[in-house]
């Protein structure tokens, strides 16, 4: 993978759009639906921009796999599951979290156009950071605001590039301010425990983040 490919590529707009229903929202939505990307790439609508990003590195894939297997065990018989590589949609915005917790049967929470799932039915999202300034800003800043705007109750960032590595657990979203009121940051080596929702008590700990 080239250095250029490791950076997220914004392809439509420069300024964030936060008001739902704007003309630009509609333009981006139609453009996103019409995109035909090469295998290994995905497109998201994040704050007034269509962003195209490549499949993650091996470490990224390893972490997602460990978290998903542990989450599936934790969520067994709860009616919820960890899902990967699906569109989470909110007001003509579309995101593809590395993992999200939602009902086992995603047909329970379809979006209006059948392109993914409605964010209102998603109980937790997890992002594993990738190297590169734009990639880090996407997960730490822009997606943090977007997930808060959508009212997703829990956002977890597994961040290899925060000092020696850290897990950030964000809760109590305020959609009007696009902020999470509660933030708990835990360095690698200490359990980061989910405080609420179907995954309550689940810990992202040393066994998951170990190199």
């Amino acid at each position: 993978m080239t250095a250029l490919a490791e950076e997220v590529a914004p392809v439509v707009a420069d300024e964030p759009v936060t008001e739902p229903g704007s003309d630009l929202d509609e333009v981006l939505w139609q453009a996103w639906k019409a995109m035909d990307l090469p295998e290994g790439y995905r497109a998201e609508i994040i704050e007034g921009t269509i962003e195209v990003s490549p499949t993650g590195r091996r470490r990224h894939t390893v972490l997602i796999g460990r978290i998903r297997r542990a989450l599936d065990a934790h969520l067994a018989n709860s009616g919820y599951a960890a899902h990967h590589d699906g569109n989470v949609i909110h007001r003509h915005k579309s995101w593809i979290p590395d993992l999200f917790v939602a009902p086992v049967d995603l047909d329970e929470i379809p979006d209006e156009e059948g392109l993914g799932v409605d964010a209102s039915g998603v109980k937790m999202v997890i992002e594993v950071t990738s190297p590169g300034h734009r990639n880090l800003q996407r997960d730490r800043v822009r997606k943090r605001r977007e997930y808060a705007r959508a009212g997703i109750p829990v956002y977890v960032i597994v961040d290899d590039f925060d000092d020696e590595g850290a897990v950030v657990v964000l809760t109590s979203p305020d959609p009007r301010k696009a902020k999470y009121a509660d933030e708990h940051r835990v360095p690698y080596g200490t359990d980061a425990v989910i405080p609420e929702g179907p995954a309550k008590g689940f810990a992202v700990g040393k066994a998951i983040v170990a190199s």
Side-chain angles (χ1 to χ4, degrees), residues 14 67 79 86 102 115 161-162 166 178 199 206:
D14 296 323
I67 296 168
L115 299 172
F161 308 97
D162 180 352
K206 185 175 181 180

Side-chain angles (χ1 to χ4, degrees), residues 14-111:
D14 296 323
E15 296 299 324
V17 173
T18 59
E19 294 186 10
S22 72
D23 290 342
L24 181 55
D25 278 341
E26 180 63 26
V27 169
L28 292 174
W29 181 247
Q30 296 302 327
W32 175 79
K33 289 195 296 181
M35 294 184 77
D36 184 14
L37 295 174
E39 185 176 354
Y41 285 81
R42 62 185 188 175
E44 302 173 279
I45 305 174
I46 305 173
E47 293 197 324
T49 302
I50 294 179
E51 297 197 4
V52 177
S53 56
T55 302
R57 296 181 176 190
R58 182 182 67 253
R59 167 69 174 171
H60 189 265
T61 303
V62 166
L63 286 174
I64 292 170
R66 289 176 182 171
I67 296 168
R68 183 173 185 177
R69 289 189 293 273
L71 257 180
D72 280 341
H74 184 86
L75 294 169
N77 303 315
S78 70
Y80 289 86
H83 300 277
H84 173 58
D85 198 28
N87 296 315
V88 173
I89 293 173
H90 175 71
R91 295 179 178 175
H92 286 185
K93 306 291 176 60
S94 176
W95 314 301
I96 306 175
D98 289 323
L99 291 168
F100 64 93
V101 173
V104 172
D105 184 359
L106 292 179
D107 285 338
E108 294 180 14
I109 56 168
D111 72 293

Side-chain angles (χ1 to χ4, degrees), residues 43-209:
E44 302 173 279
I45 305 174
I46 305 173
E47 293 197 324
T49 302
I50 294 179
E51 297 197 4
V52 177
S53 56
T55 302
R57 296 181 176 190
R58 182 182 67 253
R59 167 69 174 171
H60 189 265
T61 303
V62 166
L63 286 174
I64 292 170
R66 289 176 182 171
I67 296 168
R68 183 173 185 177
R69 289 189 293 273
L71 257 180
D72 280 341
H74 184 86
L75 294 169
N77 303 315
S78 70
Y80 289 86
H83 300 277
H84 173 58
D85 198 28
N87 296 315
V88 173
I89 293 173
H90 175 71
R91 295 179 178 175
H92 286 185
K93 306 291 176 60
S94 176
W95 314 301
I96 306 175
D98 289 323
L99 291 168
F100 64 93
V101 173
V104 172
D105 184 359
L106 292 179
D107 285 338
E108 294 180 14
I109 56 168
D111 72 293
E112 291 183 358
E113 299 188 41
L115 299 172
V117 300
D118 193 295
S120 64
V122 173
K123 303 304 181 183
M124 181 170 77
V125 289
I126 300 173
E127 298 285 5
V128 176
T129 60
S130 297
H133 177 73
R134 287 199 59 86
N135 292 334
L136 293 172
Q137 287 295 103
R138 177 193 62 213
D139 292 336
R140 293 174 179 174
V141 180
R142 288 176 289 119
K143 276 196 168 182
R144 176 172 175 159
R145 290 193 295 247
E146 290 283 57
Y147 292 148
R149 286 189 186 101
I152 294 175
V154 182
Y155 177 27
V156 179
I157 306 171
V158 180
D159 195 341
D160 270 355
F161 308 97
D162 180 352
D163 291 334
E164 297 300 315
V167 179
V168 178
V169 179
L170 300 156
T171 56
S172 302
D174 183 336
R176 291 179 303 171
K177 295 181 179 179
K179 291 182 179 180
Y180 283 94
D182 296 322
E183 175 179 343
H184 185 55
R185 178 186 175 277
V186 177
Y188 281 5
T190 303
D191 285 353
V193 181
I194 307 305
E196 62 181 75
K200 181 177 180 179
F202 177 75
V204 180
K206 185 175 181 180
I208 289 176
V209 301

